[in-house]
């Protein structure tokens, strides 16, 4: 009657120690290539960083029952996590060595329900504007036919990382 799922993750301190040592793009490429561990949340939800270039990041996920809310569709928090990850990593991909970021806000618009029948979904984040202290990014959640499932905007605060 019950269902179960198990997963593993690596020590997040390994990737956290590498933040800011090179550019944000270099850091994200190391994660995408598997040379640095991805964040534990990616293992928890089973999503991956598929593409990253300057000002753009793409994550994907195949929806499963483990992502469902009580009404039988993917929980809004999963949408938000994918959108926040794509928007934030798009910003991170633009950062020089020694700089970090954090999300200040995330505004999500839900457009279509997602279920196991939806198939693989992609979250595509792009930087709209970047200054010395803040950056604005957007992310689109798309199905396999590139139909929009959700949209988000995020403001990120940029800051120098402490010397290590």
């Amino acid at each position: 009657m019950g269902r179960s799922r198990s997963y593993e993750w690596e020590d997040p301190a390994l990737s956290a120690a590498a933040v800011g040592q090179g550019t944000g793009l270099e850091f994200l490429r190391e994660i995408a290539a598997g040379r640095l561990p991805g964040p534990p949340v990616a293992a928890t939800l089973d999503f991956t960083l598929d593409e990253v270039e300057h000002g753009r990041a793409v994550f994907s996920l195949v929806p499963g029952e483990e992502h469902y809310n009580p009404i039988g569709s993917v929980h809004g928090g999963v949408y938000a996590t994918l959108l926040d990850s794509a928007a934030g990593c798009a910003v991170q991909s633009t950062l020089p060595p020694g700089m970090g970021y954090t999300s200040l806000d995330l505004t999500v618009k839900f457009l279509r329900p997602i279920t196991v029948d939806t198939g693989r979904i992609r979250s595509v984040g792009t930087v709209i504007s970047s200054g010395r202290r803040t950056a604005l990014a957007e992310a689109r959640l798309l199905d396999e036919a590139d139909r929009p499932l959700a949209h988000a905007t995020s403001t990120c605060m940029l800051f120098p990382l402490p010397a290590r």
Side-chain angles (χ1 to χ4, degrees):
M1 187 155 138
R3 290 171 165 81
S4 68
R5 177 176 171 258
S6 62
Y7 58 94
E8 295 179 359
W9 64 92
E10 294 184 49
D11 182 354
L14 298 173
S15 55
V19 173
Q21 299 302 308
T23 68
L25 182 58
E26 291 166 344
F27 173 75
L28 292 168
R29 285 183 172 160
E30 290 295 298
I31 290 174
R35 291 185 290 269
L36 279 174
V41 70
T44 302
L45 293 178
D46 197 21
F47 68 90
T48 58
L49 173 59
D50 297 334
E51 301 173 36
V52 64
E53 59 190 64
H54 186 84
R56 183 174 182 272
V58 180
F59 289 85
S60 69
L61 173 140
V62 176
E65 289 180 340
E66 67 274 14
H67 301 118
Y68 275 18
N69 58 30
I71 62 173
S73 61
V74 170
H75 191 280
V78 176
Y79 286 69
T81 300
L82 289 168
L83 292 163
D84 184 56
S85 297
C89 287
V91 169
Q92 187 171 20
S93 73
T94 67
L95 298 180
M99 289 295 289
Y101 84 97
T102 191
S103 299
L104 291 174
D105 63 28
L106 181 72
T107 302
V108 177
K109 301 296 183 192
F110 301 96
L111 305 173
R112 288 188 170 91
I114 300 171
T115 68
V116 296
D117 296 328
T118 303
R120 180 174 295 278
I121 58 177
R122 293 177 304 118
S123 185
V124 180
T126 55
V127 174
I128 296 171
S129 175
S130 188
R132 289 184 310 133
R133 294 189 176 178
T134 61
L136 177 65
E138 69 175 353
R140 295 172 295 128
L141 195 58
L142 307 166
D143 68 10
E144 291 179 303
D146 284 338
R147 286 180 301 209
L149 304 167
H151 179 268
T153 56
S154 178
T155 306
C156 295
M157 178 174 59
L158 311 179
F159 54 87
L161 295 168
R164 295 181 190 189

